[in-house]
Every structure is written in C-alpha cells, then in structure tokens.
Amino acid sequence: MSVVSRLGVVGCGLMGSGIAEVAALRGLDVTVAESSPELAAAGRARVVASLDRGLRRGKLTEAEREQALARLSFTHDLGELADRQFVIEVVAENREVKTEVFRQLDKVLADPDAVLATNTSSIPVVDLAVATGRASHVVGLHFFNPVPVQQLVEVVPALTTDAGTVARARDFAVEGLGKEVIQAPDRSGFVVNALLVPYLLAAIRMVESGTARAEDVDRGMELGCAHPMGPLRLLDLIGLDTAQAVAESLYGEFKEPLYAAPPLLRRMVAAGHLGRKSGRGFYVYEG
C-alpha cells in the first residue's frame, strides 16, 4: 500500500478537483489550495457536484460521499500544506505561474523528503524542479480528464529526479489512487500528448480549410476508428486554451510544423470560445 496519507493539491479546476476527489474516496487526507477564497469555494462546489453525480448514478453510497467530504479541506493559504507528504500542482499551463508555485511550496513544506509533483501537459519537469532546493524530489504526474474516469497516469522523471522519488510516485498513483501508470520521458508532450496533439490539430485544419464539418470529422473518427469521442469534441472537453498552450510548448521545443497551432485555434481562443467551460467551442453547450 502507498505510504502517503496526507496529500496536497494546488489548484482546483477540472483536473485538480478530480485528483482531490479520487484521493479522498481512496481514504487520503486531502488539503486543496487555491489562490483566493472564492476559487477555493468554487473548487469545493465542483468536488461536491461530482460526488453527487456519482451518488445519483449508484457509483458510491451516501456514506462514501460523506466520508470523502470529511477528508477534504480547502484553503487559499499555501502555508496550510506544510505537513503534506506529497503535493500535486495542478495550476494553469503557464511556465511562470507553475515555477512560482514550486518556489513557494519548496519553502512551505516541512518534510525535506516530501514529493512535489506537477500535472503539466507539456512543460519540461526539469524546468520546475530546478526552481526548488529539492530537485531530486520533483516528478511529473500527468493525469487525464476526467480524472475519476480515466485510468492512466504518466510518471515523468526529470534528469534531476532520484530513483526513490520515481518509485514513490508510481506507488502513490497505483496503490494510493488505483491508477495505471506508464513512464514517459521528460520532453514536451511526454508520450500521449506527443501523439495526440498533432491528430487534434489536423482535425482543426480540416475544419479550417472547409474540407469537412466538425460533426463529420467527429462522427468519422467515432464510427470509423472506434474512438469514444471525436477530436473536436475532445478539444472542447480539454479546453481550447489548454490545447493551444500545449501545442505552443511542443512547437517551441521541436519546431515541427505538425505541432504549430492553426490560426483558427488561436482566433477561437482570442474570442473566448474555449469549449465546454465557456459554453462554446466547436459546439455550443447549454447550462
């Protein structure tokens, strides 16, 4: 069994709330930190709504829901993570923002052996590790959305990550959270996004050029390739701003044209058409 009992999660958007929920349901004591009281309250509401959906669908009992909520606490003060054994950063996919979070966590955590993990989709883990005084204890743990449903976690050691930290991260993901893991290299995109992003961007270019409608691209991949969700619906779920950030990081590292963000993607993000979270992306969402 995982020896981690006290988990910290920094950021409580879609990914952070999912990680916190899974951990609490697995019996961990979870403290979630956000940047303001309002965002902390919104994060808690997001976890409660997800637990309530699970209850309605018969995936958990009322007792399990209540026990999970009792294991969760929310704060806007990173200092309240001081006693955590393992902390996962899940803030915006922005190098400067993530780096500052790691600098602060390095000062806050009381245990010199505490593991600091990042859920980055594309930023090299080593760039975040060297911002701390404990680079050997920094590792990538890349989850997939929605976290309560998707079973994969990519474990991404940096050049500075020691073998013990890698083992602890794998053990935490498998034994602590009940996930499946693969080990990925510390290069932009890791394994999954390095393969997935060019496919998603190709779908955007197909719509942009007028070759096919979004609905036909998605239906074709769902029925023709047995994908559970077409590429454009998947982009709306991921968030077009996140997709653009990942594409830009991949292009910045490799300079390959297949990673370049199409003009349509950049214009949609500029217009605020970010997908499900904004109510409009390649599709329109109500409620």
Side-chain angles (χ1 to χ4, degrees), residues 224-275:
C225 294
H227 288 197
M229 183 180 294
L232 300 163
R233 291 191 189 279
L234 179 57
L235 279 160
D236 277 359
L237 178 64
I238 293 168
L240 301 192
D241 53 340
T242 300
Q244 179 180 334
V246 175
E248 289 174 347
S249 179
L250 284 160
Y251 185 76
E253 180 155 337
F254 302 115
K255 299 299 188 293
E256 293 282 354
L258 74 167
Y259 293 128
L264 176 59
L265 175 61
R266 290 188 276 105
R267 287 179 173 83
M268 291 177 74
V269 171
H273 299 169
L274 308 181

Side-chain angles (χ1 to χ4, degrees), residues 29-269:
D29 174 1
V30 185
T31 300
V32 183
E34 260 292 3
S35 57
S36 71
E38 294 77 17
L39 287 174
R44 186 182 190 281
R46 189 174 288 114
V47 175
V48 170
S50 181
L51 289 170
D52 287 345
R53 283 194 299 273
L55 182 62
R56 289 195 302 272
R57 294 171 182 173
K59 295 184 177 181
L60 68 156
T61 66
E62 180 68 40
E64 289 170 331
R65 175 191 179 277
E66 294 304 315
Q67 289 164 5
L69 285 174
R71 297 184 189 110
L72 285 159
S73 61
F74 294 80
T75 181
H76 63 282
D77 178 6
L78 279 181
E80 294 191 27
L81 301 182
D83 69 337
R84 301 292 97 177
Q85 301 161 299
F86 203 110
V87 178
I88 305 174
E89 165 274 311
V90 206
V91 302
E93 191 69 2
N94 178 289
R95 190 184 302 262
E96 289 72 28
V97 173
K98 288 182 182 290
T99 299
E100 182 57 28
V101 167
F102 270 77
R103 287 190 183 118
Q104 293 184 42
L105 287 171
D106 188 34
K107 296 174 183 175
V108 160
L109 292 174
D111 183 355
D113 290 326
V115 173
L116 279 172
T118 176
N119 184 57
T120 182
S121 302
S122 57
I123 297 168
V125 176
V126 71
D127 290 359
L128 304 176
V130 297
T132 75
R134 58 179 87 206
S136 63
H137 287 65
V138 176
V139 68
L141 271 189
H142 182 219
F143 293 79
F144 293 83
N145 187 35
V147 178
V149 176
Q150 300 280 45
Q151 286 302 300
L152 181 66
V153 175
E154 289 179 306
V155 175
V156 187
L159 286 173
T160 52
T161 310
D162 68 29
T165 299
V166 177
R168 291 173 67 191
R170 293 180 68 95
D171 182 63
F172 169 73
V174 174
E175 300 294 341
L177 300 182
K179 299 296 186 182
E180 299 280 346
V181 303
I182 62 172
Q183 188 159 315
D186 185 19
R187 45 176 275 166
S188 188
F190 312 136
V191 170
V192 174
N193 279 334
L195 293 170
L196 176 64
V197 170
Y199 158 68
L200 298 178
L201 299 181
I204 297 174
R205 294 188 187 101
M206 189 168 280
V207 172
E208 183 177 48
S209 67
T211 302
R213 300 180 309 155
E215 296 87 343
D216 293 328
V217 172
D218 283 343
R219 200 71 174 143
M221 295 308 294
E222 290 162 5
L223 297 180
C225 294
H227 288 197
M229 183 180 294
L232 300 163
R233 291 191 189 279
L234 179 57
L235 279 160
D236 277 359
L237 178 64
I238 293 168
L240 301 192
D241 53 340
T242 300
Q244 179 180 334
V246 175
E248 289 174 347
S249 179
L250 284 160
Y251 185 76
E253 180 155 337
F254 302 115
K255 299 299 188 293
E256 293 282 354
L258 74 167
Y259 293 128
L264 176 59
L265 175 61
R266 290 188 276 105
R267 287 179 173 83
M268 291 177 74
V269 171

